[in-house]
Amino acid sequence: MTASTKRMIRGHAAGGSTLTVSAGLARGLIELAVSRGARRDALLEASGIRLAELTDQDNRILLARYIALMRAGKELSHDPALALHFGEINDLSDISVVGLIGNASANMLEALEQLNRYGRLVVEFAGPKDRFLLTRKQGKLWLVDARDSPNEFPELTESTFARMVCTPRRFGIDNWAEEIHVTHSAPSYRSEYDRVLGVPVTFDTEWNAIRANEAALSHPIAREPHYAFGILARHADTLLANLESSRSVRGEVERLLISMLHTGDVGIDAVANRMSVSRQTLFRKLKAEGTTFEHTLDDLRHMLAVEYLDGKKVSVNETAYLLGFSEPAAFSHAFKRWTGRSPRHRT
């Protein structure tokens, strides 16, 4: 087993693949991709997201599935800049209470503070408690995206920064962002950065950050009455408490499976033992959530296989090991069942 494979096991076991996004965010991305020519059923199949999961915008979708959705959306809509366009067009208030709270904030600075407070309701991330930090460098004020390993999903940087730059323009705030730095390399659609963001962008830098016009941070917003702010905040506090304290049984099973897959011992008895419940209890709890252990395991393996191979981080043989298959041939057979293609044709 290579060092990179060991790091990947540790990373997934630490919970990176149990991070989630709001169903509203995923639904918004699907709608945009469909409007640009992608087929809805193909997007759902490629991401492993079920249509029923999208009915309530506050439901949670695994971040890994959202990443798969973004990548499929770019391919199926023939829009490599889909993430930029999502941030440009999508109004966060249409998909999350977090956007409504931003609209009800007194000014830009308060809106940014609330984004830190409630942002995990939209996208959970690996990193410090506050995703966005205000810091000074050479006398200039920068808003820094402090999440870990941003280049593993640069599309999140694109959509976030595009939304943060474009949304205030709807409030008449055109000049709060003066310059942008990103850690990823310039893509083939570099010109879209200039059109969408409208400010100088530097690639391959040490951080993901927006240089702020300090005067613009005090620009008033308050598009909703002040009393609405309190109502919305209380609702968001409830959602945040639920997110932090409650996970679905399926999510807990997936979290445990991620740390166990490479051992090959991934039967329902082993997982039930880890959860300190009986096999029958685990079966009933999963059934109540509309799934089974076998479906959860198979679905997780499918999702991780696509993530590993699309990211070109590990070989087909290493992927088979990571997913707990007894031999590469068994993994290849499963991959063909999932996708209709050989895993070697995917890399």
Side-chain angles (χ1 to χ4, degrees):
M1 180 168 42
T2 66
S4 63
T5 303
K6 291 178 180 178
R7 285 195 298 271
M8 181 161 292
I9 292 172
R10 287 196 298 270
H12 283 287
S17 283
T18 61
L19 298 174
T20 63
V21 307
S22 70
L25 188 71
R27 186 174 63 198
L29 180 58
I30 288 173
E31 295 306 320
L32 177 61
V34 168
S35 74
R36 295 179 175 239
R39 287 185 10 249
R40 191 183 308 272
D41 60 337
L43 292 168
L44 294 172
E45 181 179 358
S47 62
I49 296 172
R50 293 171 292 175
L51 192 60
E53 295 177 287
L54 302 175
T55 55
D56 182 346
Q57 69 177 20
D58 294 325
N59 282 343
R60 308 303 300 180
I61 304 294
L62 281 172
L63 175 60
R65 298 191 193 282
Y66 180 73
I67 293 173
L69 173 64
M70 177 67 77
R71 304 271 162 83
K74 291 165 66 173
E75 178 182 352
L76 296 173
S77 68
H78 307 289
D79 181 5
L82 184 67
L84 269 179
H85 298 149
F86 188 38
E88 175 190 20
I89 297 169
N90 174 257
D91 191 329
L92 190 59
S93 63
D94 289 336
I95 61 174
S96 173
V97 66
V98 180
L100 294 172
I101 290 174
N103 287 352
S105 297
N107 53 43
M108 276 287 297
L109 184 58
E110 184 175 66
L112 292 173
E113 291 171 349
Q114 300 310 315
L115 183 61
N116 260 344
R117 182 178 179 183
Y118 297 117
R120 289 178 188 269
L121 292 178
V122 183
V123 180
E124 288 188 288
F125 61 94
K129 178 182 178 182
D130 289 342
R131 178 176 169 183
F132 299 103
L133 310 173
L134 280 171
T135 186
R136 289 195 179 276
K137 183 176 182 180
Q138 298 178 345
K140 302 295 185 179
L141 186 65
W142 292 83
L143 181 74
V144 183
D145 184 345
R147 78 185 194 279
D148 293 343
S149 305
N151 287 0
E152 291 186 0
F153 188 30
E155 294 93 337
L156 183 56
T157 304
E158 292 180 330
S159 60
T160 299
F161 278 12
R163 185 175 292 113
M164 295 179 80
V165 170
C166 294
T167 299
R169 291 174 182 161
R170 303 185 188 116
F171 309 148
I173 309 173
D174 296 321
N175 61 342
W176 91 268
E178 298 186 323
E179 180 182 1
I180 291 177
H181 286 186
V182 294
T183 55
H184 56 271
S185 298
S188 60
Y189 46 90
R190 169 70 179 82
S191 60
E192 276 299 273
Y193 275 77
D194 298 328
R195 185 193 68 79
V196 172
L197 300 174
V199 298
V201 180
T202 304
F203 296 87
D204 295 308
T205 68
E206 63 182 357
W207 60 2
N208 291 297
I210 300 174
R211 181 161 64 84
N213 177 340
E214 293 188 56
L217 293 180
S218 61
H219 192 290
I221 299 178
R223 301 187 73 192
E224 302 289 344
H226 183 69
Y227 73 83
F229 183 93
I231 295 172
L232 294 167
R234 285 194 292 274
H235 177 59
D237 284 334
T238 299
L239 293 175
L240 196 60
N242 291 339
L243 176 61
E244 292 174 348
S245 64
S246 302
R247 297 285 184 178
S248 68
V249 175
R250 174 174 175 155
E252 177 67 7
V253 169
E254 288 179 328
R255 185 185 68 78
L256 290 171
L257 283 172
I258 286 167
S259 67
M260 299 166 63
L261 279 173
H262 69 284
T263 69
D265 183 15
V266 290
I268 187 171
D269 291 319
V271 174
N273 184 58
R274 288 276 197 102
M275 297 177 68
S276 299
V277 300
S278 68
R279 173 194 181 104
Q280 292 76 15
T281 297
L282 180 54
F283 175 85
R284 286 196 301 271
K285 288 185 174 183
L286 287 171
K287 184 178 180 181
E289 293 184 0
T291 189
T292 65
F293 179 82
E294 290 74 16
H295 177 78
T296 300
L297 173 60
D298 192 62
D299 209 22
L300 180 67
R301 279 173 158 168
H302 178 190
M303 177 189 69
L304 292 177
V306 172
E307 180 182 341
Y308 292 153
L309 295 178
D310 278 2
K312 303 186 187 312
K313 298 174 182 177
V314 291
S315 68
V316 170
N317 287 352
E318 285 178 321
T319 300
Y321 168 79
L322 284 169
L323 299 183
F325 285 92
S326 57
E327 56 185 21
F331 167 61
S332 295
H333 178 76
F335 196 88
K336 288 179 182 177
R337 173 170 54 82
W338 295 326
T339 68
R341 289 179 285 177
S342 165
R344 299 189 185 279
H345 294 160
R346 183 87 185 202
T347 57

